[in-house]
Structure formats: structure tokens, C-alpha cells
Amino acid sequence: MHILILGGDGYLGWPTAMYFSGKGHDVTVVDNYFRRNACTELDCGTLFHVPSLSERAAIWQEKTGYTIQVVIGDLTDPEVMRSFFTGDVTYQWPSNGAVCAPPDTVIHYAEQPSAPYSLLNYKYANTTISNNLLVTNNLMFALKDLKPDTHVIHIGTMGEYGTPNIDIEEGWLEVEHKGRKDTFLFPRQASSIYHTSKIMDTDLMWFAVRTWKLRITNLMQGPVYGLETDESKIDSRLKTIFNYDEIFGTVVNRFITQAIVGYPLTVYGQGGQTRGYLNIKDTLQCVGKAVQTPAKQGEFRFFNQIMETFTVRELAELTCTVGRSLGYDVVIRSVENPRKEAEEHYYNPVYHGLLDIGVIPHYLTEEVMKEIFLLIAPFKDAIRKDVIFKGIKW
Ligand code: USQ
């Protein structure tokens, strides 16, 4: 299969590229280096230096013999998006790369992924909305015009649903109203501009499926944690970008980093916020299973991509237990919540669809968290305390 990964330089994009390449698929990655550039612009700090995409693809080829083709381009430009389906694409690596056939599958990660970034101010809100919606819309039109049988896997977010006082279904809800029934997208109520942009993505994709009979899987993902995947073990330079700062770091990765550097764990507010979490290894498994069992033509398929739920307080306590067992002096400090979100709420999402197609979860046990501690610990001296909490409010 030829798999095109939009956003192939990100936290999830690069591990996904290695995962499919290692299984013998033809893989092309495209990225505009948004994440790296934003980290530099906003002085976020990352745990370690990450080689460029071309450098990583060269290391990958040297170690495994597999080629990952690299394109540096901005997918908000419709011509860049369309070039992958017309064969007019310009490869950065390998420089003599033969032009590939159009992809069979597109995995769409090419979005600004941070809620705090989207609420820094109106400028960053606009960047989030324009990037995320234009990339998705360009993809929908490229498929409609050039290759409607391509299976798209879009990484959505559980945050689209918010924290409703009813159980969260996988994408759809059957509603009975005045004696009649119909099925609708599950009600959405996001708590950031970033999450709202993902709701609008979903609406664009649902329009495209209804109107042009495209085939799309929307993976409604919770916060991801972890650093290592089977492929990144091959060479330390293949590790994915790792953020622990307030803007791009997700909570579990942040807490472990904070514990290592002796920074009190930043539990926002009461810490009763409940989310569904998954290991980065399970993101790869889920995407892998979704590729193997694609949506049908004209189907908009949803999976809730989480493996288990935790409150923030539970995550902080787990980090404390594991950190102390490793000799770190870990303390928890509740800080005034910079976000507008429910701090104690009902949360009962359904998430059996991915298990039904064969995903076997890696749960966040003490042992698993210890492994992540041991991967981050060697970078202790590089951890910057000044980027951990700046209090980006909304
Ligand atoms: N939190 C803390 N302390 C911190 C950081 C976060 O208490 O230092 C809390 C937040 O207030 C929130 C929860 O932990 O209640 C999760 O926050 P997060 O920053 O790990 O995740 P979030 O902002 O929701 O976004 C992340 C990814 C995003 C993805 C989303 C899935 O950045 O791309 O879509 O997780 S979900 O949360 O299910 O919407």
C-alpha cells in the first residue's frame, strides 16, 4: 500500500511513518515544520534535538533499508495537496526519488494540535482555524476531484464531545423526537478554539462523505503519552519530538518530566477532570487496524481512540508513587486552573470499536510509567523549568 502521512514530522506523524514503512508499505510524509517553528517562536523548549525529516528518513533507510519519502510543503496551499494525487509532487528526500502513484490511504495529522496555543490570542486562534480547516478542506476537494476511493484516516479528538452529562457514544447518536427517530453526529461542545476547529473539521468531512461519497475514519483520540515505539528503539536519533511545556506538552508527559526535575506537579484546579488516555504505541496500533479494515465508500466511521480513563488527580498520584519509588522527591501542587473546564463531572465514553477490530491496549500501569521515567531521566539537565507553567488563560 502507498500511505501518505500529512503532518509526518509531529509527535505522532513520524512514529506512524516508521511503523508503516517497517511493515513494508510505501510511505510518503509531508510537513511544513509548523510544530518545530512554533516551538522556536514561542520558546517552548523540547527535551532533545530532533533531526530534520530528511535526516531522519536517511537514518531510517541506513538502519532498515526502507525508504520514507519526504516532502516539505504547506498543505493549506491546495496545489501542494493536489500534487500528491496528480503526480506533480516535489520530493525533498530521496533527492532522486521516483514519483509515486497516488496514495491508497491518507493519514491526516496535519493540524495545529494545542488548546493553549489556540488561545494565546486572536492571532494564534486564527492560525489554528485557518490551518486546520484549510488542510482538511483541501484534502476533501483533492479526493473528490482526483481519487475518491482513497481511505482517509483523520485524527480527531475526544475533546469534540466535551464532558456531557450523558454517556458519549462513538461518533453518532440516535435521537427520538416527537415520536420520530434519526441518527446525528453526537452533540459537540468543545472547550478550546483548537477543539472547536476539530468539530468544524468533522463537519467538513461529514459534508464530503454525504455529498461525494468519500470514505473516512475519524479517530477520536484522547491525550497521548509516551516516548518510545518499537521502531524508535532502532536508533536514538529516530525518537519523536517530545514536549513537556505548557503549550505542546500533554499532561502525563508533563507530570513525569516535572517529577524528574523536582517541579511540583501542576494539577489544574480540583483535578477531577476526567479524560480517556492512550500510550503512543496504541495510537500506532489503532491507526494500523483502521488501515487494515477501511471504512466503506460513502461511510463516515468513528472510533473513540482511548484505552482507559483517569482524573488528573489520579495521574498525579500515580506519578508520585512511581517517582518516589525511583527516588525522586515528588510533590503535587494544585494551581488555579488557567482553563475554563469542568473540574468535577460525569464521564462515561464508549470505546469498544477499536478493541472489536483487534487493538490490544497497553495500560498505564506503574511499570509502564516507570519505563517512561527511565526514558526521560537521561535528559534531566536539558529540562527547562521556565517553560513548564506560564499560565495561558482562557
Ligand atoms: N492538565 C493539568 N495540568 C497540566 C496540564 C493539563 O491539570 O499541567 C489537565 C487539563 O486541564 C485537562 C487535562 O489535564 O483537563 C488534559 O490536558 P492536556 O493538556 O494533556 O490535553 P488537551 O489540552 O485536552 O489536549 C491534548 C492534545 C490534543 C488532543 C487532546 C485530546 O494536545 O491534541 O486532541 O489531548 S482530549 O483531551 O481528549 O480532547
Side-chain angles (χ1 to χ4, degrees):
M1 227 184 243
H2 179 205
I3 298 176
L4 171 64
I5 300 175
L6 313 180
D9 191 50
Y11 175 57
L12 303 175
W14 174 247
T16 304
M18 292 192 291
Y19 177 83
F20 284 108
S21 177
K23 294 192 179 324
H25 295 288
D26 291 332
V27 174
T28 302
V29 292
V30 52
D31 206 290
N32 64 350
Y33 287 145
F34 164 80
R35 172 71 160 266
R36 293 169 186 250
N37 293 338
C39 286
T40 305
E41 180 200 339
L42 299 167
D43 193 25
C44 291
T46 51
L47 199 58
F48 42 77
H49 167 74
V50 175
S52 72
L53 262 182
S54 303
E55 288 167 338
R56 294 203 278 191
I59 297 164
W60 175 250
Q61 192 186 54
E62 182 199 318
K63 298 286 172 180
T64 67
Y66 291 119
T67 303
I68 294 176
Q69 306 199 85
V70 174
V71 179
I72 304 303
D74 184 352
L75 294 161
T76 63
D77 177 344
E79 301 312 328
V80 172
M81 181 69 81
R82 297 172 84 83
S83 70
F84 293 97
F85 300 90
T86 58
D88 296 329
V89 60
T90 310
Y91 289 94
Q92 259 74 16
W93 198 91
S95 49
N96 62 348
V99 170
C100 262
D104 306 293
T105 300
V106 175
I107 303 173
H108 174 12
Y109 292 111
E111 306 207 46
Q112 191 298 99
S114 158
Y117 178 101
S118 74
L119 282 150
L120 278 166
N121 62 34
Y122 65 89
K123 195 182 107 186
Y124 294 92
N126 280 352
T127 303
T128 303
I129 292 169
S130 58
N131 180 81
N132 294 1
L133 297 190
L134 286 178
V135 173
T136 301
N137 199 46
N138 287 342
L139 177 61
M140 296 301 103
F141 272 85
L143 295 172
K144 161 198 173 282
D145 293 338
L146 301 164
K147 200 167 178 290
D149 63 342
T150 314
H151 179 213
V152 173
I153 296 175
H154 173 258
I155 303 299
T157 172
M158 287 297 288
E160 288 184 36
Y161 305 123
T163 51
N165 201 29
I166 60 171
D167 293 359
I168 298 172
E169 302 301 325
E170 299 204 67
W172 302 100
L173 183 68
E174 191 179 61
V175 176
E176 188 173 342
H177 182 61
K178 296 185 179 172
R180 301 178 68 83
K181 278 188 191 163
D182 205 343
T183 302
F184 299 92
L185 288 171
F186 191 91
R188 281 90 45 85
Q189 41 188 354
S191 63
S192 81
I193 293 287
Y194 153 69
H195 290 96
T196 302
S197 76
K198 304 286 275 194
I199 290 179
M200 296 190 275
D201 268 344
T202 295
D203 281 327
L204 283 176
M205 292 186 289
W206 178 211
F207 171 78
V209 171
R210 282 196 316 269
T211 311
W212 303 319
K213 304 289 175 240
L214 303 186
R215 50 201 307 222
I216 304 182
T217 299
N218 206 9
L219 297 176
M220 310 297 274
Q221 194 172 236
V224 181
Y225 58 84
L227 174 55
E228 191 172 75
T229 62
D230 289 345
E231 295 74 24
S232 72
K233 287 186 204 158
I234 294 171
D235 187 294
S236 64
R237 295 166 297 171
L238 295 173
K239 279 198 300 296
T240 193
I241 189 167
F242 187 93
N243 283 98
Y244 57 89
D245 62 285
E246 180 180 346
I247 296 178
F248 289 112
T250 47
V251 65
V252 177
N253 290 347
R254 276 167 62 67
F255 281 176
I256 297 172
T257 310
Q258 291 168 12
I260 288 172
V261 82
Y263 193 104
L265 307 188
T266 52
V267 169
Y268 292 169
Q270 296 172 56
Q273 303 92 308
T274 311
R275 303 285 182 270
Y277 290 84
L278 74 164
N279 192 309
I280 191 167
K281 293 176 183 171
D282 287 341
T283 296
L284 304 188
Q285 252 202 96
C286 292
V287 175
K289 293 292 179 196
V291 167
Q292 277 171 14
T293 55
K296 296 186 208 59
Q297 204 73 47
E299 183 188 6
F300 193 21
R301 179 175 66 158
F302 284 75
F303 291 119
N304 290 345
Q305 188 160 302
I306 59 179
M307 298 299 143
E308 57 194 325
T309 62
F310 292 102
T311 64
V312 170
R313 222 169 20 238
E314 286 168 338
L315 291 174
E317 280 157 12
L318 180 64
T319 312
C320 251
T321 307
V322 175
R324 285 177 186 162
S325 77
L326 291 168
Y328 294 105
D329 182 16
V330 190
V331 292
I332 298 174
R333 181 179 300 154
S334 173
V335 296
E336 193 190 328
N337 196 340
R339 306 181 179 196
K340 291 272 191 306
E341 62 183 357
E343 293 175 7
E344 300 290 345
H345 57 90
Y346 181 77
Y347 200 65
N348 192 24
V350 171
Y351 48 99
H352 57 65
L354 286 161
L355 306 183
D356 292 346
I357 60 168
V359 170
I360 301 163
H362 294 82
Y363 294 112
L364 186 56
T365 58
E366 288 184 16
E367 195 50 40
V368 167
M369 187 179 265
K370 186 174 161 195
E371 284 167 20
I372 305 173
F373 260 89
L374 296 178
L375 289 168
I376 298 175
F379 301 100
K380 181 176 178 185
D381 291 345
I383 298 168
R384 281 178 52 189
K385 288 188 179 176
D386 64 311
V387 302
I388 289 176
F389 185 74
K390 292 181 179 173
I392 298 161
K393 264 180 134 65
W394 60 90

